[in-house]
Amino acid sequence: MSSAHTPSFSHAPDGRGGAHAASVPEPADAQDAPVAPVAPTPAAPAAPSVPSVPSVIPLTEPADGVGPVIDTPEAFAEVVAAFAAASGPVAADAERASGYRYGQRTYLVQVRREGAGTALIDPIGVPDLSPLREAVGDAEWILHAASQDLPGFAEQNLFPARIFDTELAARLLGMERVGLAAVIAEVLGLGLAKEHSAADWSTRPLPVDWLRYAALDVEVLIPLRKILGERLEEQGKSEWAAQEFEAVRTAPPPPPREEPWRRTSGVHALRNPRSLAVVRSLWEARDENARRRDIAPGRVLPDRAIVAAAQAMPRSVPELVRLPAFSGRNTARRAASWQQAIDKALALPQDALPSSRGPRSDAPPPPRAWAERDPEAARRLDAARAVVQRLSDEHDVPLENLLQPDALRRVCWTPPTPLDTEHVAQFLRGRGAREWQVGLVAGPLAAALADPGSVPRPAPAPGTGAKSRSDDGGDLSRPGTD
């Protein structure tokens, strides 16, 4: 564990020579940039003013240096004692091996607290982190995109009592880019490089450069939380944020996805039930192989290979390996098992083939089909989109954070009866809307649903025509990472 003191970020003032280069480039008009002489031209118009770009200082080294990885019960006990004696919120992050290992297991947990410094914990060596939670009591935990890390924390018996999600805070503040590096650059003026974010964190031992990256990730969270909290307070959004944070903290695990094989990339191009059966059989064989070997499924057999086999439907191993997607050494080596899965699908009786329409769902049809299937519902959706867009612009909150697109579609397709504010509010609560969302949206939405023709439609932006910005009900998501 690193020694404890208030962060004094180490950096290279001129943007050179640091282990972590700035994630946002220096402006072209930096003070040390050479200026070429320009001959005076009396008739030339004055050059337009260029908005100044804030300088970004690249972070190169944690303030406390990089401490050892905590991978024994004895070392972890020292961390617990230090965090129990410290005060203030706990900054936390986790690293996984997505794209390398099967599932979303956590391979490194980073925590920091004023007075205790930063600890980099290996949850393979220390699988039970509940003593840390007990040591800090009801202290607030600061995370960025908490929904990504909390499931892994739960596997280590780590359940924060309260959280502050800096990504969600950035969204509620209307920031255009909400990845950690972008938020840090805009709010703190610091360059946080993210070149190791997609690394294989199951690697042992972990390289020092990776540990440096991991330590910096949590070092910036405490000062970031302070400023974002102040901005939320200034904009009257603190209570909104508190409700959002608690909803994320207490969210149950998502239910298992029905027919997950249908998420295979490229499967939408297949309509033949027999081809879909080949996709399903190969997906299931790949998943079992990947689970057994603890390897990401895409590394065992790419999606494009599954779809290629479903299109060609080879009847033998030689036919299979003639497909370019199966010509690689590793893929060809297991060709017999892949052909066995294909043969299994080809032998299925007609009534055992998957439906080309997908599993039954109570969700409304795609909005593009509404005008034909239910013109009145299409009018309601059009009016509701306009209302929610206006509220989104007025409060500077992204549409998907103001009201979940699925809830918007459902209330437009089958509105409650009677159609008034109270029953629309009840409907939205039943779809998971928070009270701050209900308070902003329910009244205007009820009025729009009751009388779609009374809602003014915004004029389309130049060059866009009348086409909606979204064809799927208003899901205009902003990226959560850089």
Side-chain angles (χ1 to χ4, degrees):
M1 183 172 59
S2 304
S3 60
H5 66 267
T6 302
S8 55
F9 300 109
S10 175
H11 60 270
D14 61 356
R16 299 183 294 271
H20 280 228
S23 59
V24 178
E26 288 190 357
D29 59 347
Q31 292 181 359
D32 57 353
V35 179
V38 179
T41 308
S49 61
V50 178
S52 61
V53 180
S55 60
V56 174
I57 301 173
L59 293 174
T60 61
E61 190 73 24
D64 306 329
V66 179
V69 174
I70 307 302
D71 57 3
T72 68
E74 295 76 17
F76 181 59
E78 294 182 13
V79 170
V80 170
F83 274 65
S87 61
V90 178
D93 191 19
E95 307 296 344
R96 293 167 291 277
S98 302
Y100 296 92
R101 297 290 183 174
Y102 187 90
Q104 293 296 311
R105 184 176 185 178
T106 297
Y107 286 94
L108 186 71
V109 173
Q110 309 102 277
V111 288
R112 180 178 180 83
R113 196 180 197 192
E114 298 266 346
T118 299
L120 306 177
I121 305 170
D122 181 356
I124 307 303
V126 187
D128 182 9
L129 301 185
S130 58
L132 182 60
R133 159 66 178 87
E134 296 164 4
V136 301
D138 63 354
E140 176 185 87
W141 290 64
I142 308 169
L143 302 99
H144 191 84
S147 61
Q148 298 180 20
D149 294 332
L150 289 176
F153 284 180
E155 293 179 1
Q156 268 73 57
N157 299 316
L158 189 57
F159 300 96
R162 295 183 292 131
I163 68 168
F164 186 102
D165 188 330
T166 52
E167 186 208 37
L168 261 176
R171 286 177 175 272
L172 293 176
L173 290 169
M175 296 179 66
E176 287 297 324
R177 299 176 61 204
V178 296
L180 182 57
V183 175
I184 290 297
E186 181 175 337
V187 176
L188 299 179
L190 300 173
L192 186 66
K194 302 296 290 181
E195 70 267 27
H196 300 308
S197 59
D200 179 5
W201 287 88
S202 66
T203 301
R204 293 296 184 273
L206 287 165
V208 174
D209 280 354
W210 298 13
L211 297 175
R212 182 180 295 111
Y213 157 91
L216 286 170
D217 259 11
V218 290
E219 188 161 303
V220 295
L221 288 179
I222 293 176
L224 177 62
R225 181 261 183 267
K226 181 178 185 298
I227 296 177
L228 292 182
E230 292 171 352
R231 293 184 182 180
L232 288 169
E233 187 70 32
E234 291 168 359
Q235 295 186 22
K237 296 177 178 178
S238 291
E239 179 55 29
W240 301 2
Q243 292 179 27
E244 290 297 301
F245 300 160
E246 186 64 7
V248 170
R249 189 187 73 85
T250 59
R257 185 178 294 277
E258 190 174 0
E259 298 189 349
W261 59 269
R262 291 188 183 270
R263 291 177 61 83
T264 303
S265 179
V267 73
H268 63 278
L270 304 175
R271 291 291 180 264
N272 183 341
R274 184 70 62 183
S275 295
L276 293 176
V278 172
V279 172
R280 179 179 63 186
S281 187
L282 279 173
W283 188 96
E284 291 172 347
R286 177 184 72 174
D287 192 67
E288 190 280 330
N289 186 292
R291 185 191 303 270
R292 175 170 46 83
R293 298 165 61 201
D294 191 20
I295 299 176
R299 288 179 173 265
V300 173
L301 186 67
D303 281 5
R304 59 182 172 81
I306 292 178
V307 172
Q311 291 170 328
M313 289 195 280
R315 263 60 178 182
S316 67
V317 171
E319 284 186 40
L320 178 64
V321 297
R322 279 199 290 269
L323 298 175
F326 283 84
S327 61
R329 183 177 62 183
N330 290 335
T331 305
R333 185 154 45 94
R334 296 182 176 83
S337 63
W338 303 136
Q339 185 61 47
Q340 185 177 9
I342 295 170
D343 292 342
K344 178 181 175 182
L346 296 177
L348 289 174
Q350 195 70 24
D351 60 2
L353 299 179
S355 166
S356 60
R357 295 181 176 272
R360 285 182 169 273
S361 170
D362 64 349
R368 67 180 68 91
W370 287 27
E372 180 180 347
R373 295 183 57 175
D374 189 339
E376 189 58 31
R379 292 180 66 235
R380 289 193 296 265
L381 180 60
D382 185 50
R385 282 172 165 170
V387 165
V388 177
Q389 180 66 64
R390 174 178 60 80
L391 291 170
S392 171
D393 295 340
E394 179 182 335
H395 296 282
D396 198 18
V397 174
L399 284 172
E400 70 276 9
N401 292 105
L402 183 61
L403 182 63
Q404 290 185 346
D406 179 68
L408 178 64
R409 289 190 289 267
R410 288 177 184 269
V411 75
C412 292
W413 184 252
T414 53
T417 303
L419 188 45
D420 56 23
T421 298
E422 178 183 351
H423 288 83
V424 168
Q426 184 178 347
F427 184 102
L428 297 179
R429 291 188 186 101
R431 303 305 306 178
R434 268 69 75 188
E435 286 304 314
W436 74 270
Q437 296 171 318
V438 172
L440 288 179
V441 172
L445 192 55
L449 297 177
D451 186 7
S454 67
V455 178
R457 307 306 198 266
T464 64
K467 179 176 175 59
S468 168
R469 292 173 60 199
S470 172
D471 289 327
D472 63 357
D475 190 359
L476 306 176
S477 300
R478 299 183 185 182
T481 56
D482 291 334

